Amino acid sequence: MEIAKTYNPREAENKWYPHWIKHNFFKSIPDHRTPYTIVIPPPNVTGVLHMGHMLNNTIQDVLIRRARMLGFNACWVPGTDHASIATEAKVVALLKEKGIKKTDLSRDEFLKHAWDWKDKYGGIILEQLKQLGASCDWDRTRFTMEEDLSEAVIDVFIDLYNKGKIYRGVRMVNWDPQGLTAVSDEEVIHKETNSKLVYVKYLIEGSDEYITVATTRPETIMGDTAVCVHPEDERYQHLKGKNCIVPIVSRSVPIIFDDYIDKEFGTGALKVTPAHDINDFNLGQKHKLPVIDALTADGKISEAAGAYVGMDRFACRKQIIKDLQENGLITKIEEIKNKVGHSERTDAVIEPKLSMQWFLKMSEVSKPALDAVLNNEVKLIPEKFVNTYKHWMENVHDWCISRQLWWGQRIPAWYDDKGNTVVAKTLEQAIELLKTKNSSLNTNHVKQDEDVLDTWFSSWLWPLTVFDPKVIKNGWDNANADLKYYYPTNDLVTAPEILFFWVARMIIAGKEYTGLKPFENVYLTGIVRDKLGRKMSKSLGNSPDPLELINKYGADGVRVGMLLCSPAGNDLMFDESYCEQGRNFANKVWNAFRLVKGFEVGNGSQPASSKAAILWFENKLMEQVEIINDHYSKYRMSDALMSTYKLVWDDFCAWYLEAIKPEFIDGKPQPLDKITQQATIYFLEQLLKIMHPWMPFITEEIWHLLKERSDMDCIIVASWPKIKAGDVNIVKEFEVVKELVTQIRGLRQQKQISPKEKLEVFKKAEVAHASFDEVVVKLANLSAFNYTKNKVDGAVAFMILSTEFFVPLGNNINADEEKSRLNKELDYNKGFLKSVQIKLSNEKFVANAKPELLALERKKESDALNKIASLEEQLKNL
C-alpha cells in the first residue's frame, strides 16, 4: 500500500471519528472495571464553539482517552444547559424580527417557540465538539430541561423549602433592566467605568444654608428619603433635628445621624435612597424611612419619582445634571473611575432593586462544601484557588434563586386570593395544602408563581441527575446502578470564574443529597487571551473561529497548539503559531512513520551502533513514560505534552532514527536488519500510544498503516505503555554521546570541515568503555573512536562533564584563533566558578540548603575547576 507523502488531517478525521462511534469505543456501561468519569460542564444551548470550549474540552478528552488506555471504564457524559436568560433573549430577538412581542403571547405559546428554537439550534455546539475529537458517550447526552431532570429540580426546591432552607421575601437584588430579571451576585461583572461625581446642594429647610452631597447617580435623587451624616462630625452638629429639601422634587426629608458614614470620605454627607442601594436600604430599615422606587423594571424613571417620568435612566442622568446646573445646585463635577456592575448575560448596567424573590439560605448548606475543600476531600488544581474558595464560602450571601423569565423550571409555589402561599409539585396537591389555610378556597383563584428558577439551580445537580434524576426523590440508598457505579466522578475541568456559580454549589448539592462529594479533583483552566494579553472577545475581533483553525491546521494540530502553553489556573496567551507548531509536529510524526515504513529489511547482521541505540532508547522510553505519568498525576498537562513532544521529536526522530538509519553505499540505502526493524516498530507503537490522547487522529491513522489490524484493534483502546525497570546510567551515558556528537558537529562548522570528511576522536580515560562508541562514530562521521591516557598534540580539546576529548585537526588548527577561543571559554568558566564559590561561602545558604542542592553546587564547583585546569593546559600546549 502506497503511503501518502503528506499527512491529510481532514481525511483521517472523517475516517476515524465515525469508526470510533460505529464500534462503540466511546460507550460506557457499568461492568467489573474501575470507572473513570467526567461530566462535561454543559455549554449553553445558545452556544457555539469558542476558544475557551476548545481548551476545556481538549483537556477533558486527553484525560478520558488516557484513562481508557489505562484500562478504566471511561465515561464522559456530554450535554447542554438550558441557559434561561441567554436563551430567552435569543427567542425574544427572533420573535421581534417576525414582528411578535413576548407580551403578545401566552406562556405556553412562548415556550413552544423556545422549544422550536432549541430543537433547531441547541445541538450545534455538541456537533462542533465532535470535530475536535471529543470522545463523549453521546448516547448519554443530557439537557438540563429534559422532563426527568426538570422534575429533579422541582423535587429539590420542594425538599429544601420543607426543610426551611428556602424562603420568599422582599430583598435588595441585582436587577437586569434588559433581561428584566434578578441575577445573583456571582452573575454581576464589575467593570471600571469613567463616571461623573456630581456635588449637589440640598437646601436646609427654612434657611439659606445647604448641605452638599456627592453622587454618581443623580437620576436616583427623586428616590431620596433622607440625608445622613456621622453623629461626631462637627460640621453638621447644628443640623440635628433639621430637614433638607431634595432638589427637583422639592421633598422635605430628615437629616439623620449614623456612624455608618465615613466622615472623612467626600463631603461626609450621604443621600439615602433606600430603593436603589443595599446600604441605603439597610439605613432606611434602621431609621424607618419610606421607600420610593424611582425606576421601572426596564430602567426608565417611574411615576413614583415625580419627575422625568418615562425617561431612560441614562438620558435622565444627563438631563438632571443640566437642570441642577441651571438652578445653581451643583458646586462641582469630578471625572472619576469607578467599578460599575454589569449583567454577565446581557451586559446591561445592574440596578439594585427591591423585589419579592425566592432565596436559598446558604450559611448552613455551604459548610460541608467548605470543609470538603479545606480537608482536601475535593482537590482544587492549582491549590492557589483554595483561599479564594474559602473567602467566598465564609462570606456567602443567601442565593436569589428566582428569575423573572418563562424559559426554565417554573417555581412550584402557589397562591390563593387571600395571600396564602404553598409549595407543591402539582395544582391538585397545592389545592389540598391551601384548603388547610383557607377553608373557603376558590380553586379558580389558585395561581402558580410566574417566575422560573435560576439556571444554576438545575446545573448544580448535574453530576447526580445525568445518571439518576430520581435520586432526589428516592434517596442515595435507592439510587440506580449507574449513579452508584459512576458517582462520585473523578475529574471536573472548568473555569475559575464559575468556581462559585457552579463548582461550590455542586459540592453543596452532592453533600446534601448523597453525603458524598461529586468529584475528586477540580482542574481549573486559565482564560484564553491573545498574545497581547487581552481577553478574547468578538468586539475586539481577536478571537479566531476554532473550526477555521481545525480546517487550517487539523484537529490534532489545534489540540497540541492549545495545550503547549496552558498551565493549570494560569491564563493562556494564545497565538496561532502554536497551532502551526502542532501541525508541524504532526507532519514530523508522519515523516518519521514514512521513514520507518520505507526501510528495506534484509537478513544481514545487526550493526553495533543499532544495538547500542536500541539499548539506549528502550531505557529512555521507560524513563520518560514514568516522567509523563508523574506529570499526569499532578495535572501538569502542558508538561506532560512537552515531555511527549521532546521524546518524539528530539529523542526518537533526531537521535534514535539517525542512529539506526542504514548507511548509503554507492548512492543506495542498505537494508535494515530484522532485529532493529522490529524494535523500531515496537518503539513507534509505544510512542503512538503516548501521543494518542493529544493527537487521536494521526495516531489512529498510523496505527493501522503500521501493520494489518482488525476493526476493533484500535489505538483508542490499546494499553498505555507499562513501566519496566530501566537503567538510568545508560540514559545518562547517552546524554554524553549527544553532547559529544554536538560538539564535533559544531567543530566542523566552526573550522569549515566538510561533513563528509572523516575525523578521529580520542577520549582521555584509564580504561576503555565502548558502550556507545559506534553510535558516535556513525553520527559524527568518524574514522575511529580511540582512548588515550595522555593529551593529544595538534588536537582541539574540550570537556564534557569531567571527561576530556581530543579531535586531531592537523593543519586545520589556527593557533591564534584557538587561543582566542580558549581564553574566552576560560574567562567564562572562571566567572561561573566565582559565582558558585560565593554561594558556597555563604554560611546561611550552606546551613539552610537541602542536601541534594548543596551536593549539586559542590559538583558544579568541581566540574568548573576541572574545566579550568583543562583549558589552562590546552593554552599552555599552544
Side-chain angles (χ1 to χ4, degrees):
M1 177 183 175
E2 188 178 345
I3 299 166
K5 187 176 180 181
T6 56
Y7 172 60
N8 187 323
R10 180 58 62 210
E11 281 184 12
E13 290 156 17
N14 290 339
K15 181 199 298 184
W16 292 113
Y17 201 86
H19 181 90
W20 293 327
I21 288 195
K22 178 183 176 184
H23 294 285
N24 292 321
F25 288 129
F26 304 164
K27 191 171 180 61
S28 175
I29 54 173
D31 61 21
H32 63 282
R33 292 173 295 167
T34 302
Y36 174 85
T37 315
I38 295 178
V39 292
I40 199 171
N44 285 352
V45 75
T46 58
V48 292
L49 202 63
H50 59 59
M51 297 303 285
H53 293 131
M54 291 282 281
L55 173 62
N56 185 292
N57 287 283
T58 299
I59 292 169
Q60 289 177 80
D61 196 45
V62 168
L63 293 171
I64 210 82
R65 284 179 181 273
R66 180 169 177 269
R68 199 178 279 124
M69 297 174 81
L70 285 167
F72 291 99
N73 187 351
C75 179
W76 184 11
V77 181
T80 49
D81 189 286
H82 64 275
S84 294
I85 298 174
T87 304
E88 185 143 329
K90 287 268 188 188
V91 176
V92 168
L94 187 69
L95 291 172
K96 191 176 180 181
E97 289 175 10
K98 297 177 179 178
I100 303 171
K101 292 181 182 176
K102 178 187 172 185
T103 50
D104 294 337
L105 299 173
S106 68
R107 188 185 195 107
D108 288 342
E109 287 170 339
F110 177 81
L111 288 176
K112 184 179 185 309
H113 285 288
W115 278 105
D116 288 345
W117 184 94
K118 182 266 172 188
D119 292 341
K120 185 173 182 180
Y121 299 106
I124 289 174
I125 193 165
L126 297 183
E127 291 303 311
Q128 291 174 329
L129 283 176
K130 293 177 182 179
Q131 294 187 50
L132 183 65
S135 57
C136 303
D137 183 349
W138 297 108
D139 292 340
R140 290 183 175 273
T141 302
R142 303 306 298 252
F143 173 53
T144 53
M145 262 180 67
E146 286 175 24
E147 188 174 343
D148 51 355
L149 270 70
S150 287
E151 186 178 355
V153 174
I154 301 305
D155 288 338
V156 166
F157 184 96
I158 294 169
D159 176 65
L160 293 176
Y161 177 82
N162 290 335
K163 289 174 178 174
K165 295 176 181 177
I166 284 178
Y167 65 93
R168 187 174 185 243
V170 174
R171 296 288 186 277
M172 185 70 70
V173 297
N174 303 301
W175 185 261
D176 179 345
Q178 186 174 324
L180 296 177
T181 182
V183 295
S184 66
D185 291 344
E186 295 76 33
E187 292 168 294
V188 178
I189 308 299
H190 292 276
K191 299 181 184 179
E192 192 171 85
T193 307
N194 293 319
S195 297
K196 292 184 187 331
L197 184 61
V198 185
Y199 288 76
V200 183
K201 295 178 182 178
Y202 285 59
L203 296 174
I204 305 303
E205 192 174 41
S207 80
D208 295 331
E209 192 183 354
Y210 60 86
I211 187 168
T212 303
V213 172
T215 179
T216 57
R217 305 187 64 216
E219 71 277 11
T220 64
I221 281 175
M222 293 83 74
D224 292 353
T225 55
V227 168
C228 188
V229 295
H230 196 281
E232 296 174 5
D233 195 328
E234 294 295 332
R235 293 171 293 179
Y236 304 121
Q237 292 300 310
H238 66 291
L239 296 179
K240 284 185 178 177
K242 299 283 183 75
N243 287 356
C244 61
I245 305 299
V246 177
I248 303 299
V249 291
S250 301
R251 181 186 306 121
S252 176
V253 299
I255 297 171
I256 61 173
F257 289 75
D258 197 290
D259 57 12
Y260 163 75
I261 301 298
D262 179 358
K263 58 185 178 181
E264 304 301 326
F265 182 78
T267 66
L270 174 80
K271 64 190 277 302
V272 183
T273 320
H276 298 290
D277 182 274
I278 184 60
N279 298 311
D280 291 12
F281 175 72
N282 293 334
L283 273 174
Q285 293 287 97
K286 183 176 177 181
H287 293 273
K288 297 183 169 53
L289 299 175
V291 176
I292 300 172
D293 192 345
L295 293 171
T296 62
D298 59 351
K300 292 184 172 63
I301 306 303
S302 70
E303 292 278 353
Y308 309 106
V309 176
M311 187 179 285
D312 177 77
R313 55 185 169 153
F314 297 120
C316 177
R317 181 179 296 180
K318 290 179 182 177
Q319 186 61 46
I320 199 170
I321 290 173
K322 184 179 176 185
D323 292 346
L324 288 168
Q325 284 175 320
E326 287 177 358
N327 287 291
L329 294 174
I330 290 180
T331 61
K332 63 177 176 176
I333 298 175
E334 292 177 356
E335 298 292 333
I336 64 164
K337 288 186 182 295
N338 63 334
K339 296 276 189 178
V340 176
H342 289 69
S343 169
E344 186 197 35
R345 296 297 182 201
T346 66
D347 202 40
V349 173
I350 289 294
E351 285 292 342
K353 181 178 173 64
L354 283 173
S355 180
M356 179 69 81
Q357 301 287 343
W358 288 92
F359 296 86
L360 171 62
K361 296 177 185 176
M362 292 294 284
S363 56
E364 185 184 333
V365 295
S366 61
K367 191 178 184 310
L370 173 59
D371 292 342
V373 169
L374 295 185
N375 298 337
N376 220 25
E377 185 186 357
V378 174
K379 297 182 183 68
L380 301 187
I381 300 155
E383 285 186 5
K384 69 179 183 180
F385 287 106
V386 171
N387 285 336
T388 313
Y389 181 91
K390 179 175 182 285
H391 175 77
W392 186 83
M393 292 294 275
E394 287 178 343
N395 296 278
V396 69
H397 299 134
D398 287 355
W399 175 11
C400 176
I401 56 174
S402 46
R403 296 291 180 270
Q404 289 62 56
L405 302 164
W406 283 349
W407 176 249
Q409 288 92 5
R410 191 172 180 181
I411 291 173
W414 309 77
Y415 312 103
D416 67 10
D417 54 0
K418 299 284 178 68
N420 295 305
T421 303
V422 296
V423 168
K425 192 178 257 188
T426 64
L427 173 62
E428 292 71 27
Q429 291 171 353
I431 289 170
E432 292 305 310
L433 288 171
L434 283 167
K435 280 179 180 177
T436 65
K437 298 185 175 191
N438 178 3
S439 57
S440 60
L441 178 71
N442 182 337
T443 56
N444 292 324
H445 292 165
V446 175
K447 303 293 181 190
Q448 186 176 357
D449 199 304
E450 289 291 323
D451 292 351
V452 298
L453 287 157
D454 179 11
T455 302
W456 299 106
F457 197 82
S458 61
S459 55
W460 74 327
L461 304 176
W462 186 249
L464 291 165
T465 54
V466 294
F467 296 114
D468 184 6
K470 297 189 184 304
V471 67
I472 308 301
K473 186 166 50 182
N474 297 340
W476 174 253
D477 290 342
N478 299 307
N480 67 15
D482 264 17
L483 189 63
K484 287 288 182 81
Y485 181 75
Y486 292 112
Y487 189 94
T489 65
N490 294 79
D491 294 324
L492 178 76
V493 181
T494 190
E497 55 262 37
I498 57 172
L499 182 57
F500 316 117
F501 274 142
W502 192 45
V503 178
R505 290 168 179 170
M506 283 190 287
I507 301 174
I508 290 170
K511 288 289 186 177
E512 182 74 21
Y513 290 104
T514 69
L516 301 170
K517 60 192 174 186
F519 25 69
E520 301 276 347
N521 307 292
V522 181
Y523 180 100
L524 296 156
T525 65
I527 295 170
V528 183
R529 299 184 181 275
D530 66 15
K531 57 187 176 184
L532 300 176
R534 300 174 303 174
K535 189 173 180 179
M536 290 191 167
S537 69
K538 287 181 183 175
S539 59
L540 287 175
N542 63 346
S543 182
D545 180 342
L547 298 181
E548 287 181 9
L549 290 176
I550 289 173
N551 286 332
K552 189 172 181 181
Y553 300 105
D556 291 338
V558 176
R559 288 166 67 110
V560 169
M562 288 295 295
L563 294 180
L564 273 173
C565 55
S566 177
N570 291 329
D571 292 352
L572 183 158
M573 302 302 172
F574 179 79
D575 188 329
E576 198 169 316
S577 62
Y578 289 125
C579 294
E580 189 174 358
Q581 190 177 349
R583 180 183 63 188
N584 292 346
F585 185 40
N587 289 338
K588 184 77 171 178
V589 172
W590 185 258
N591 289 335
F593 154 67
R594 287 183 69 245
L595 178 68
V596 170
K597 195 69 174 169
F599 287 144
E600 182 186 338
V601 181
N603 294 316
S605 60
Q606 185 183 37
S609 57
S610 294
K611 186 175 182 179
I614 289 168
L615 175 68
W616 161 68
F617 194 76
E618 193 170 42
N619 286 279
K620 183 68 177 179
L621 181 63
M622 287 303 99
E623 175 203 66
Q624 290 302 304
V625 169
E626 190 168 7
I627 288 170
I628 289 166
N629 285 346
D630 183 60
H631 287 321
Y632 273 115
S633 73
K634 293 168 181 166
Y635 295 87
R636 294 174 180 160
M637 305 301 286
S638 289
D639 292 340
L641 173 57
M642 188 51 71
S643 294
T644 303
Y645 184 97
K646 288 178 178 177
L647 175 63
V648 175
W649 191 298
D650 297 341
D651 295 314
F652 184 70
C653 296
W655 290 101
Y656 174 78
L657 288 181
E658 290 301 312
I660 61 101
K661 195 189 295 182
E663 299 281 359
F664 272 71
I665 298 176
D666 297 330
K668 291 183 180 178
Q670 299 305 292
L672 186 72
D673 66 278
K674 285 182 179 177
I675 295 173
T676 302
Q677 188 242 6
Q678 288 169 359
T680 305
I681 295 288
Y682 169 78
F683 290 149
L684 182 51
E685 286 181 334
Q686 301 313 300
L687 294 174
L688 289 172
K689 291 177 184 179
I690 296 167
M691 287 186 282
H692 177 75
W694 312 98
M695 309 174 79
F697 294 108
I698 191 171
T699 51
E700 193 71 83
E701 179 74 5
I702 294 174
W703 182 258
H704 286 269
L705 289 172
L706 264 178
K707 61 174 73 167
E708 193 71 34
R709 302 183 196 269
S710 69
D711 285 349
M712 298 301 289
D713 181 8
C714 288
I715 198 167
I716 190 174
V717 287
S719 295
W720 185 258
K722 292 189 171 50
I723 300 173
K724 303 169 189 168
D727 189 333
V728 293
N729 291 322
I730 289 173
V731 175
K732 286 179 181 175
E733 200 175 333
F734 200 85
E735 290 306 306
V736 175
V737 169
K738 289 180 181 180
E739 180 62 24
L740 177 56
V741 171
T742 302
Q743 288 270 20
I744 296 168
R745 288 173 176 172
L747 190 62
R748 285 182 185 276
Q749 193 172 5
Q750 184 189 348
K751 304 297 181 187
Q752 297 184 327
I753 301 169
S754 167
K756 294 180 180 179
E757 183 179 334
K758 290 190 180 292
L759 297 175
E760 197 175 358
V761 164
F762 287 83
K763 179 180 179 180
K764 191 175 180 182
E766 293 295 323
V767 181
H769 180 70
S771 301
F772 295 111
D773 293 359
E774 291 302 319
V775 175
V776 178
V777 168
K778 181 174 183 178
L779 294 178
N781 192 23
L782 304 179
S783 58
F785 190 114
N786 303 307
Y787 288 81
T788 179
K789 294 180 181 179
N790 305 305
K791 66 179 180 12
V792 177
D793 293 330
V796 170
F798 51 85
M799 287 190 75
I800 298 174
L801 300 178
S802 57
T803 304
E804 199 166 6
F805 293 89
F806 303 92
V807 181
L809 292 181
N811 295 330
N812 283 310
I813 291 184
N814 179 310
D816 291 336
E817 284 181 5
E818 191 62 13
K819 277 181 186 176
S820 176
R821 182 185 73 82
L822 291 171
N823 275 313
K824 282 181 185 175
E825 198 172 344
L826 183 62
D827 289 343
Y828 169 79
N829 280 278
K830 282 181 176 178
F832 177 75
L833 176 64
K834 185 179 179 181
S835 69
V836 174
Q837 288 177 333
I838 287 171
K839 194 181 284 188
L840 289 172
S841 66
N842 184 326
E843 291 179 6
K844 191 175 179 182
F845 170 77
V846 173
N848 296 319
K850 291 181 180 179
E852 58 268 26
L853 179 59
L854 208 54
L856 179 63
E857 293 301 319
R858 284 182 174 140
K859 186 173 187 311
K860 286 180 184 176
E861 181 185 39
S862 172
D863 288 348
L865 286 166
N866 288 334
K867 191 80 179 275
I868 288 166
S870 171
L871 290 166
E872 287 174 339
E873 178 71 19
Q874 291 174 60
L875 280 165
K876 182 181 172 185
N877 293 332
L878 277 170

